[in-house]
Amino acid sequence: MKDAILKKLGLQEVPSIQKRDLENMVIPGHIKNKYLSMLKLHKERRKRSLPSLAGILRGIPGNADISGEILYTDTTRQQLLFDMEARIPENSEVTMAELKLFKKAPRKLPLTERKSLRPVHNARVSIYWVEILENGSNRTSLVDSRLVPIHETGWKSFDVTQAVHYWSKSNRQKPMYLEVWIDGERPGSYATEMAKSIRFTSQDPSDKILGKPELVLYTLNLEEYGSRGDCEKNMAKANSVCCREEYYINFRELTWTQYWIIEPAGYQAFHCAGNCKQPKRNYGYGERTCAAVESAPLPMMYLVKRGEYTEIEVAEFPNMIVEKCGCTMDNISVV
């Protein structure tokens, strides 16, 4: 993986980036928007690859909506906590997770549109997964962002599937923390001021129950449907046939990526495992081995050293996620 990333960037070795390079770092708006655009396309590809049979995506019976607690809130930020204990059934996989926030009508009408400025109709609402570190500090990862109309009211949904996957790979004994950020739809004080018109019920101390933030989980029951070519859990590898096995890569724990790669915090890469039947006659192609036959790219945000300056860039790296495994000959490249 390291060689593939370096080759994509045209580098011979990993840049020497220290923790101090991240201090006071601000992600430019055009870089953030580029990453969000790539992330949206990535999610659409992933959704198309999921089974489309009715009933595959189902809310967890009795626990479809998990109410969240508000730990902190002001006009532009709020931190939410969700108790995830026993929420995901055994032998199931979370295929989609939605955060639902109820948007109230503006308490007062937004500022009168200024003729000299472009009108502002939306605010950008971003959702971050919050990792609580051992030293008590926080580290965030962007999981979804969308424009929300200022004048509309009602439930607004955000895709937080990636946050649930992050949580499941960190510490499932602890709650899941999310942060909601409300910013202007574009740079400038006017858009920032208009964004303050966005109010969710959880931002008002008088809203005790109605419209509390909700987390909706959708799961794939592996016993009912099967694993779509994935390895069965707890199966002895010596007896298994070629299949796709879960393999999570945590960028925050790898020494060469923890400061270099900003987003994502990690991802499910998968890898191929198991045995392949060999033909009785060898035709010069070598043994059949279990390898990736389909793969998908991964959008990433990373730091680049240019002399004494550190810059942020975004790119999509190919062949980072194994989509399908199969038995191939040693001398035939299939990816």
Side-chain angles (χ1 to χ4, degrees):
M1 181 181 66
K2 182 194 293 185
D3 292 341
I5 293 176
L6 292 175
K7 183 178 180 181
K8 168 75 175 179
L9 299 177
L11 301 175
Q12 298 296 322
E13 58 184 15
V14 174
S16 178
I17 295 175
Q18 307 299 324
K19 187 176 182 179
R20 63 176 177 270
D21 294 317
L22 300 177
E23 295 178 358
N24 301 320
M25 180 184 67
V26 177
I27 301 175
H30 71 283
I31 293 292
K32 184 177 179 180
N33 291 336
K34 183 178 180 181
Y35 178 73
L36 289 173
S37 178
M38 288 184 174
L39 194 63
K40 183 179 180 181
L41 290 174
H42 174 70
K43 289 180 178 179
E44 289 176 353
R45 284 195 297 261
R46 300 294 294 170
K47 286 180 181 179
R48 286 198 296 268
S49 68
L50 291 172
S52 58
L53 296 177
I56 290 299
L57 293 180
R58 56 177 175 81
I60 299 175
N63 292 317
D65 297 342
I66 305 173
S67 295
E69 297 181 27
I70 300 95
L71 301 182
Y72 170 81
T73 183
D74 60 28
T75 55
T76 60
R77 299 286 187 271
Q78 57 184 133
Q79 189 175 82
L80 311 177
L81 177 151
F82 291 92
D83 182 7
M84 303 289 285
E85 186 176 358
R87 298 294 188 176
I88 303 175
E90 293 184 6
N91 199 31
S92 65
E93 174 184 320
V94 176
T95 54
M96 190 180 299
E98 287 183 307
L99 172 66
K100 297 176 66 176
L101 301 174
F102 189 84
K103 183 188 173 301
K104 301 173 66 176
R107 186 174 298 175
K108 59 181 179 180
L109 292 176
L111 300 174
T112 305
E113 301 288 353
R114 302 176 189 175
K115 295 181 180 179
S116 60
L117 298 173
R118 284 188 297 157
V120 174
H121 302 295
N122 307 289
R124 178 163 291 282
V125 180
S126 302
I127 311 297
Y128 290 81
W129 171 66
V130 183
E131 180 182 12
I132 309 297
L133 303 179
E134 292 182 357
N135 61 8
S137 62
N138 296 348
R139 188 159 54 183
T140 60
S141 293
L142 177 68
V143 294
D144 198 16
S145 181
R146 56 172 291 198
L147 293 176
V148 174
I150 292 173
H151 297 281
E152 287 186 3
T153 184
W155 288 100
K156 303 299 177 184
S157 296
F158 300 87
D159 185 351
V160 293
T161 310
Q162 199 172 9
V164 175
H165 289 167
Y166 288 157
W167 166 82
S168 66
K169 298 301 178 182
S170 56
N171 190 339
R172 297 181 67 139
Q173 305 302 317
K174 296 182 178 180
M176 186 177 74
Y177 297 89
L178 298 176
E179 278 189 2
V180 181
W181 294 20
I182 304 173
D183 300 294
E185 67 175 353
R186 62 173 184 266
S189 59
Y190 181 47
T192 300
E193 190 65 27
M194 292 289 285
K196 294 180 181 179
S197 301
I198 294 282
R199 299 286 295 177
F200 295 111
T201 51
S202 53
Q203 290 172 276
D204 190 336
S206 64
D207 296 317
K208 300 297 184 182
I209 300 177
L210 181 64
K212 290 185 67 175
E214 295 180 353
L215 180 67
V216 183
L217 301 180
Y218 299 90
T219 62
L220 179 69
N221 189 322
L222 301 180
E223 289 184 353
E224 294 177 1
Y225 182 74
S227 57
R228 298 183 291 115
D230 290 349
C231 301
E232 294 183 15
K233 294 182 179 180
N234 304 322
M235 175 178 283
K237 292 186 178 180
N239 300 324
S240 65
V241 295
C242 181
C243 58
R244 190 179 72 156
E245 189 173 54
E246 289 189 358
Y247 181 65
Y248 186 81
I249 295 176
N250 190 331
F251 287 137
R252 300 284 166 80
E253 292 183 352
L254 295 175
T255 55
W256 61 277
T257 61
Q258 59 180 337
Y259 302 130
W260 182 26
I261 297 177
I262 302 173
E263 298 286 354
Y267 77 105
Q268 189 66 259
F270 298 100
H271 66 176
C272 298
N275 303 312
C276 294
K277 291 183 179 180
Q278 304 300 325
K280 294 181 179 180
R281 295 181 59 184
N282 190 311
Y283 295 94
Y285 293 110
E287 290 190 350
R288 298 172 76 238
T289 57
C290 184
V293 294
E294 290 182 16
S295 63
L298 178 73
M300 293 166 56
M301 185 186 297
Y302 55 93
L303 294 179
V304 175
K305 277 277 194 178
R306 289 193 171 89
E308 298 180 356
Y309 298 96
T310 303
E311 298 181 357
I312 305 174
E313 291 191 356
V314 173
E316 194 171 61
F317 292 82
N319 303 329
M320 295 289 284
I321 303 170
V322 174
E323 293 283 355
K324 185 178 180 181
C325 298
C327 292
T328 64
M329 298 297 184
D330 285 349
N331 298 334
I332 299 178
S333 176
V334 294
V335 179

